[in-house]
Amino acid sequence: MAAPIDISCPLESASINCPRDGLLLLFDISRLLSESENMETILKPILDRIASNLGIIRGMITILNRNKGEIATAEAWGLEPSQKSKGRYSLGEGITGKVIETGNPVVIKRIADEPRFLNRTGAWNNADTKDISYVCVPIHIGTEVIGAIGVDLPHTSDSLDYEVSILTIVAASISQIVRIHQMKYEEMEALKVENTRLHEELRTRYKQPNYVIGNSKIMRLLYQQMEQVSGTNATVLLLGESGVGKERIAHAVHYGSARANKPFIKVNCAAIPESLIESSLFGHERGSFTGAVAQRKGYFEQADCGTIFLDEIGELPPEAQTKFLRVLQEREFERIGGSQTIKVDIRVIAATNRDLLHLIREGKFREDLYYRLSVFPLVIPPLRERKTDIMLLADHFVEKFSAEHNKKIHDISSSAVSLMTNYSWPGNVRELENCIERAVILSADETIHSYHLPPSLQTKQKSRLEDRRTLKEVMETVEKELIEEELRYTRGNVSRAANNLGISERIMGLRVAKYGLKARGAGNGDE
């Protein structure tokens, strides 16, 4: 291998020895750099100019990722896209890696005689193409090497000093542009790493039962069933009332499966008009109906290799049920207006709050489709059957909405706890979530009180006539609760509680006696 050429003064050498076409090349590149506003695409025309002037066979501009110590091909001339993508090196690896590591140019008169030449891109597979020369020069920003320019030239016995000088000047000219590409390249690679990390975190988060909050016996049994089915490709049917968290269960099953890194497509069958449901699920060809101005992939096609979650499956129209049954059985379908059979590899998770057996008796749901869907049914219990989970969920929602609304909520009053645990929650977890968000917004003292909860919770489970109270009774209830909570906060110190509520100690004492509350005197502090 030829020793690295000493080009400590390339500009001086170029000014004396460069022919006119070399000066025209440098002038042309300078003009490109000064006139171009699109820095993203400027490297390709620069390589085009180099190829035209120097008669190169192939050329690459490579850039160092400082975070990973990896060198990638930013732009190439004379290489196929697949070959360009293979042009990756570690720092110090091969000729390119050595040039960037040392900052010295390398000249190889005949690459067939150089064992360090890796042919990483695979562009030199034919023996006759190996009879070529190779020149690689570093791209500097100050003393830092950020990339390299490497070119293949027809084999010659002449000196390649001129080519080294020209490429060195070009490298100096484009160094700022390469720096911009380097920073964007590093940023994109960092984003990919972060995206992978977040995806794995998301998978772990959904896989953990904590995502579906609850520690009651009935929920622990559900977690066991979820774990059993997640590792399979079995079709899952989620049954439960509205608001119990069927979508979250579907997420957990998907992210606990081998398809976790594949698409998860959510479809609410009740939200799609009946006239559009088939087009939405199966897709359509251009011109298949009025308004079909372009081909469209349906949700089944979008979910290929992943999971499709069909919520409110009981609302699926009869004709769509027939076509869906074929997808479940054969994993194939045709787009509307199309003749090509499309095969998909999907896992189906369906959910409903309807009684499908009752719909079958009414002739509104296909019996064979029901049995295809219910390979592994999961019944999500209503909140009234898991009372011990109510406060776990409430605390979770308090934390969530406190952060979301920039509030500091540290406590839920005992009366509010009593109301929540005694309520039947017909809207289940969704209703509880909405109630807590409302309470967090209304709270002004870092505590959720019973009067922050909706009226539906504050009325007892009996008729409105029996529960109707006067304004005085309501105000006394609120006053008692405020005083009770403040005494609990001050550990029974009447003086401090009165001061916090903005009333005199005498009035405070009268109210304590009126409502039969326990308290200590001002002298019995809570230190």
Side-chain angles (χ1 to χ4, degrees):
M1 184 193 75
I5 296 175
D6 182 5
I7 51 169
S8 57
C9 190
L11 288 172
E12 181 181 274
S13 173
S15 64
I16 297 173
N17 300 316
C18 283
R20 181 177 177 81
D21 56 353
L23 293 176
L24 289 175
L25 168 64
L26 299 176
F27 174 76
D28 202 13
I29 290 176
S30 298
R31 183 174 55 81
L32 274 174
L33 292 170
S34 63
E35 293 179 357
S36 178
E37 295 181 357
N38 190 352
M39 295 294 113
E40 293 292 324
T41 59
I42 199 170
L43 293 183
K44 187 178 186 306
I46 287 175
L47 276 177
D48 290 341
R49 267 58 169 191
I50 294 173
S52 176
N53 182 269
L54 298 182
I56 66 174
I57 302 171
R58 279 168 292 270
M60 293 194 306
I61 297 177
T62 51
I63 297 178
L64 171 67
N65 183 329
R66 294 166 294 181
N67 298 327
K68 300 173 65 176
E70 182 183 77
I71 302 162
T73 302
E75 193 55 72
W77 190 92
L79 293 178
E80 298 293 331
S82 60
Q83 294 173 332
K84 174 185 171 183
S85 65
K86 295 176 183 177
R88 290 179 174 269
Y89 311 87
S90 299
L91 196 60
E93 181 184 27
I95 304 301
T96 302
K98 201 67 177 177
V99 167
I100 294 178
E101 182 182 51
T102 63
N104 297 320
V106 168
V107 173
I108 300 175
K109 296 302 291 289
R110 188 172 183 271
I111 65 171
D113 301 329
E114 176 51 61
R116 290 186 301 169
F117 200 84
L118 299 179
N119 187 21
R120 180 62 54 78
T121 64
W124 298 270
N125 288 333
N126 298 325
D128 57 341
T129 62
K130 292 185 178 181
D131 198 20
I132 58 179
S133 301
Y134 181 70
V135 175
C136 187
V137 301
I139 302 172
H140 291 271
I141 288 284
T143 59
E144 180 187 359
V145 182
I146 61 174
I149 304 176
V151 298
D152 299 334
L153 297 157
H155 176 64
T156 176
S157 58
D158 296 335
S159 170
L160 294 173
D161 290 8
Y162 165 71
E163 286 78 3
V164 173
S165 298
I166 288 294
L167 291 175
T168 301
I169 297 171
V170 172
S173 301
I174 68 172
S175 60
Q176 293 297 335
I177 302 302
V178 173
R179 171 66 93 188
I180 293 173
H181 279 263
Q182 181 188 46
M183 294 173 67
K184 290 189 176 180
Y185 169 61
E186 291 172 345
E187 183 180 353
M188 286 300 297
E189 288 297 308
L191 286 174
K192 289 179 183 178
V193 172
E194 179 67 6
N195 184 58
T196 302
R197 185 191 67 79
L198 290 174
H199 196 94
E200 185 60 31
E201 182 179 308
L202 186 64
R203 176 179 178 175
T204 303
R205 174 187 175 194
Y206 278 108
K207 187 175 181 180
Q208 290 176 342
N210 285 340
Y211 175 69
V212 185
I213 296 170
N215 196 37
S216 58
K217 183 178 179 180
I218 193 170
M219 289 302 292
R220 290 199 297 271
L221 176 61
L222 177 62
Y223 297 151
Q224 293 176 5
Q225 295 173 333
M226 288 166 57
E227 186 175 357
Q228 290 172 338
V229 76
S230 292
T232 72
N233 287 318
T235 300
V236 178
L237 179 61
L238 304 178
L239 303 170
E241 297 178 4
S242 178
V244 294
K246 294 186 287 293
E247 184 177 327
R248 290 196 166 213
I249 298 293
H251 270 106
V253 171
H254 169 71
Y255 283 102
S257 73
R259 299 173 183 263
N261 294 324
K262 302 300 181 180
F264 180 78
I265 304 298
K266 298 181 290 184
V267 184
N268 189 323
C269 299
I272 304 174
E274 186 171 340
S275 59
L276 298 177
I277 187 70
E278 289 189 43
S279 172
S280 299
L281 292 176
F282 306 104
H284 61 253
E285 299 291 347
R286 179 181 179 183
S288 57
F289 55 85
T290 303
V293 295
Q295 183 192 79
R296 180 188 181 278
K297 290 184 177 181
Y299 290 126
F300 287 125
E301 202 168 345
Q302 294 175 36
D304 190 26
C305 298
T307 302
I308 186 167
F309 172 53
L310 299 169
D311 199 6
E312 305 293 351
I313 192 67
E315 307 299 328
L316 201 62
E319 188 174 349
Q321 290 180 30
T322 304
K323 293 185 176 182
F324 177 37
L325 179 61
R326 181 188 172 199
V327 175
L328 280 176
Q329 291 175 329
E330 309 295 339
R331 293 299 195 266
E332 64 180 29
F333 60 91
E334 289 86 30
R335 299 192 191 105
I336 296 176
S339 57
Q340 179 186 359
T341 299
I342 299 170
K343 290 190 172 291
V344 289
D345 173 21
I346 57 173
R347 181 187 196 165
V348 176
I349 301 177
T352 183
N353 59 3
R354 303 282 300 274
D355 184 346
L356 294 183
L357 293 176
H358 180 70
L359 292 179
I360 290 171
R361 289 192 293 270
E362 291 183 342
K364 296 180 180 179
F365 200 83
R366 293 181 62 107
E367 186 174 7
D368 48 1
L369 177 58
Y370 169 75
Y371 290 116
R372 279 286 179 181
L373 284 173
S374 58
V375 174
F376 199 98
L378 289 175
V379 180
I380 296 91
L383 196 54
R384 62 181 173 274
E385 293 181 8
R386 39 186 291 221
K387 292 281 189 178
T388 56
D389 293 333
I390 290 176
M391 293 317 299
L392 286 176
L393 287 160
D395 289 339
H396 168 74
F397 292 137
V398 166
E399 182 178 352
K400 172 185 173 182
F401 292 119
S402 294
E404 188 173 314
H405 298 292
N406 198 25
K407 302 285 288 285
K408 292 182 179 180
I409 307 297
H410 300 299
D411 196 14
I412 301 177
S413 71
S414 56
S415 56
V417 170
S418 178
L419 285 178
M420 286 191 285
T421 53
N422 289 319
Y423 183 58
S424 62
W425 297 106
N428 294 294
V429 180
R430 184 184 297 121
E431 183 183 7
L432 174 61
E433 182 177 16
N434 293 338
C435 287
I436 295 298
E437 182 173 16
R438 176 185 187 270
V440 168
I441 293 172
L442 291 175
S443 177
D445 61 352
E446 301 184 356
T447 299
I448 290 178
H449 299 281
S450 63
Y451 51 85
H452 293 143
L453 300 174
S456 57
L457 272 73
Q458 298 187 43
T459 55
K460 297 179 181 179
Q461 302 302 309
K462 56 184 180 180
S463 70
R464 292 180 180 272
L465 289 175
E466 290 177 331
D467 193 53
R468 185 169 293 170
R469 296 181 296 172
T470 65
L471 177 62
K472 180 180 178 182
E473 290 172 335
V474 172
M475 293 185 69
E476 285 179 345
T477 299
V478 173
E479 183 182 50
K480 177 184 176 183
E481 182 180 328
L482 279 172
I483 293 174
E484 187 176 27
E485 288 299 320
E486 199 59 45
L487 286 172
R488 184 162 64 90
Y489 175 73
T490 61
R491 300 181 185 179
N493 189 310
V494 173
S495 178
R496 284 186 58 193
N499 184 62
N500 292 343
L501 292 174
I503 60 178
S504 67
E505 190 172 345
R506 176 178 171 278
I507 295 295
M508 186 67 171
L510 292 174
R511 295 295 184 270
V512 167
K514 176 181 178 180
Y515 299 123
L517 302 175
K518 294 182 179 180
R520 293 195 296 268
N524 298 323
D526 60 332
E527 305 303 325

